[in-house]
Amino acid sequence: MNKFGLYIHIPFCSSKCYYCDFNSVEFKESLLASFLQALEQEIKLIAAKYTPVIRSIFIGGGTPSMLSGQQLVTLLKQCQEEFDCQAGIEITVEANPETVTAQKLKLLKEAGVNRLSFGVQSFDDQLLQKLGRRHTSQEAIRAFKLARELGFSNLNFDLMFALPGQSLRDWEKTLIQACQLGPDHLATYNLKIEEGTIFAQQLQQGKIDYCEEELDLAMYQKTVQLLANEGYQQYEISNFARPGAESIHNQIYWKNEPYLALGPGAHFCDAQGRGYNLADIDQYCQQLAQGQLSWADYQRLSQAEKIEESMILGLRLKEGILLDQFEKKYQTSIFDLYQDELDDLLGQQLIEIKADRMKLTEQGFLLANQVLANFILT
């Protein structure tokens, strides 16, 4: 059986956040009908090409909750009709707090959505304004409580730190507020200022500064310590969960397992290669209207590329990589490929190998990018 995760990209937002370099555009009613038609056609074409068994569905963006409840329900029904969706799979929808209503959430729950991911970013209203977010901290609290009242038992907060003008105390207050609400999962990311964003312009104009490295590190260490004290287990560099609430879909990425993707600019990995769709919505729609997949690029992966991706992604997980599984999958040993690098990293106490498992140490997590660069083969 061809088992895959499924990512669906909804490219619409009410406005562009200042840090965002994702493929998103301001919501236009005139684009919506052709986009939804194209998405329906893409579902059919992907179903015909792969006959996939779907292990998880993640509807991201953009802001998926810009769509009406009924439009999201229809999209899920189309997936369930065309794909073999395993019973009880994790179905996640990303939502911005200001777009959430009781009616929308009820419809989603009835359609099988069992996980919501709220783009909160901060519980500091001044910082939310600096980020270009459209919601307030009170709207985030309201949306969370509404979801709980309606019976959603798996809720995530996306939070950001190392923001311009943010102090360690500011970040600690956001973490404390999040924990008081009690989500099941927290994804915490330090800000990276990407080219082409409003923040990149502001940086060039001297309106904002980079966060100091020492402060960035202190914020990360505070995150790990505070969330551990609150009963959240760190299972990936940036992700924390109550036991049993780890994201099934995101673990597919980190374990380098296959996933399909729908929507403009969406990236996929089908076990043989990686590709991505046309990013421009008009071009994406036109291609699908002609009965063709909207792939902008597809590259078959060499054995070496597959191995390095498995190493770099797998070591992001707290549990690390099982050595026998790796050897079974690639017909070669990690030690045959990386003996010198492993000796060096073991000597620096950045990795540990025991009980047939290789993983980063606590210090290795703090220097993850530096450590993972050792496993590039190509």
Side-chain angles (χ1 to χ4, degrees):
M1 288 192 298
N2 299 317
K3 292 187 176 182
F4 298 90
L6 178 66
Y7 173 73
I8 305 173
H9 187 73
I10 309 297
F12 302 117
C13 283
S14 53
S15 61
K16 196 85 165 172
C17 295
Y18 299 166
Y19 56 84
C20 180
D21 71 332
F22 294 147
N23 186 39
S24 62
V25 297
E26 196 168 326
F27 181 79
K28 290 179 184 171
E29 196 71 43
S30 57
L31 282 174
L32 187 58
S34 57
F35 167 71
L36 292 174
Q37 279 182 345
L39 205 49
E40 182 179 10
Q41 174 72 349
E42 188 176 20
I43 289 168
K44 291 176 179 174
L45 291 172
I46 288 291
K49 181 173 179 63
Y50 290 101
T51 58
V53 175
I54 300 299
R55 301 170 56 196
S56 65
I57 298 175
F58 192 107
I59 305 179
T63 308
S65 53
M66 291 289 295
L67 299 188
S68 72
Q70 193 52 59
Q71 286 163 342
L72 287 166
V73 168
T74 299
L75 174 58
L76 284 170
K77 280 183 179 172
Q78 289 164 353
C79 290
Q80 288 156 352
E81 285 168 5
E82 296 292 336
F83 302 138
D84 181 356
C85 294
Q86 293 184 319
I89 60 170
E90 178 187 272
I91 303 178
T92 303
V93 174
E94 285 186 336
N96 280 358
E98 75 277 12
T99 63
V100 166
T101 65
Q103 182 192 23
K104 190 176 290 188
L105 292 186
K106 282 177 186 173
L107 285 170
L108 291 179
K109 194 161 193 310
E110 287 166 9
V113 174
N114 48 26
R115 186 173 184 270
L116 294 175
S117 179
F118 286 115
V120 173
Q121 314 313 347
S122 175
F123 284 101
D124 182 317
D125 285 338
Q126 285 187 320
L127 282 173
L128 287 171
Q129 285 188 330
K130 286 182 182 177
L131 291 171
R133 300 295 291 176
R134 297 291 288 265
H135 71 272
T136 65
S137 57
Q138 282 305 309
E139 283 176 311
I141 292 167
R142 178 197 65 83
F144 176 86
K145 288 182 175 177
L146 180 60
R148 277 286 193 244
E149 286 167 14
L150 293 171
F152 283 94
S153 58
N154 196 348
L155 299 176
N156 171 63
F157 285 156
D158 280 349
L159 301 174
M160 293 181 74
F161 62 92
L163 305 176
Q166 185 183 38
S167 69
L168 180 59
R169 182 60 184 149
D170 292 335
W171 174 235
E172 188 176 14
K173 283 180 182 176
T174 277
L175 288 173
I176 289 168
Q177 174 65 80
C179 291
Q180 284 174 351
L181 290 167
D184 310 281
H185 189 284
L186 290 150
T188 63
Y189 299 102
N190 60 335
L191 172 70
K192 303 291 185 196
I193 297 179
E194 305 287 355
E195 284 184 29
T197 62
I198 295 171
F199 267 170
Q201 294 172 20
Q202 291 180 351
L203 186 68
Q204 197 171 19
Q205 294 162 359
K207 293 179 179 177
I208 61 170
D209 291 315
Y210 285 115
C211 177
E212 299 268 338
E213 272 188 40
E214 294 83 359
L215 178 55
D216 189 332
L217 178 59
M219 288 179 172
Y220 179 73
Q221 290 173 315
K222 174 62 70 176
T223 307
V224 174
Q225 174 198 356
L226 192 152
L227 293 183
N229 290 342
E230 293 290 335
Y232 292 93
Q233 295 177 357
Q234 183 182 23
Y235 70 101
E236 190 268 346
I237 288 174
S238 302
N239 285 264
F240 305 79
R242 300 278 191 209
E246 298 84 358
S247 167
I248 292 167
H249 183 84
N250 286 337
Q251 286 183 85
I252 289 172
Y253 299 150
W254 298 317
K255 292 178 180 178
N256 200 21
E257 294 169 350
Y259 58 93
L260 303 172
L262 312 170
H267 287 243
F268 62 93
C269 179
D270 66 5
Q272 300 306 315
R274 287 190 176 275
Y276 57 90
N277 283 345
L278 293 164
D280 181 87
I281 296 176
D282 288 330
Q283 291 178 7
Y284 164 85
C285 292
Q286 287 165 14
Q287 188 91 345
L288 284 157
Q290 294 167 15
Q292 298 175 343
L293 286 171
S294 65
W295 291 4
D297 187 53
Y298 179 81
Q299 299 288 333
R300 285 198 169 270
L301 294 172
S302 67
Q303 179 82 337
E305 287 170 326
K306 290 177 184 178
I307 286 170
E308 70 183 28
E309 288 190 0
S310 285
M311 294 294 293
I312 290 167
L313 292 166
L315 284 173
R316 291 185 62 90
L317 289 165
K318 196 81 171 176
E319 67 181 27
I321 294 169
L322 280 169
L323 301 181
D324 59 346
Q325 280 188 6
F326 180 95
E327 190 164 347
K328 187 177 178 183
K329 185 173 182 179
Y330 294 114
Q331 300 297 302
T332 187
S333 160
I334 284 176
F335 300 100
D336 290 340
L337 293 164
Y338 294 111
Q339 189 65 65
D340 291 343
E341 291 84 356
L342 296 179
D343 289 342
D344 184 39
L345 293 170
L346 284 165
Q348 296 180 65
Q349 297 185 325
L350 296 173
I351 62 168
E352 62 182 37
I353 300 174
K354 58 184 178 182
D356 198 34
R357 191 182 295 276
M358 181 174 114
K359 58 185 182 179
L360 298 183
T361 61
E362 284 189 25
Q363 184 65 14
F365 259 60
L366 297 179
L367 300 171
N369 289 341
Q370 178 185 321
V371 175
L372 298 179
N374 286 273
F375 298 104
I376 296 172
L377 291 171
T378 53

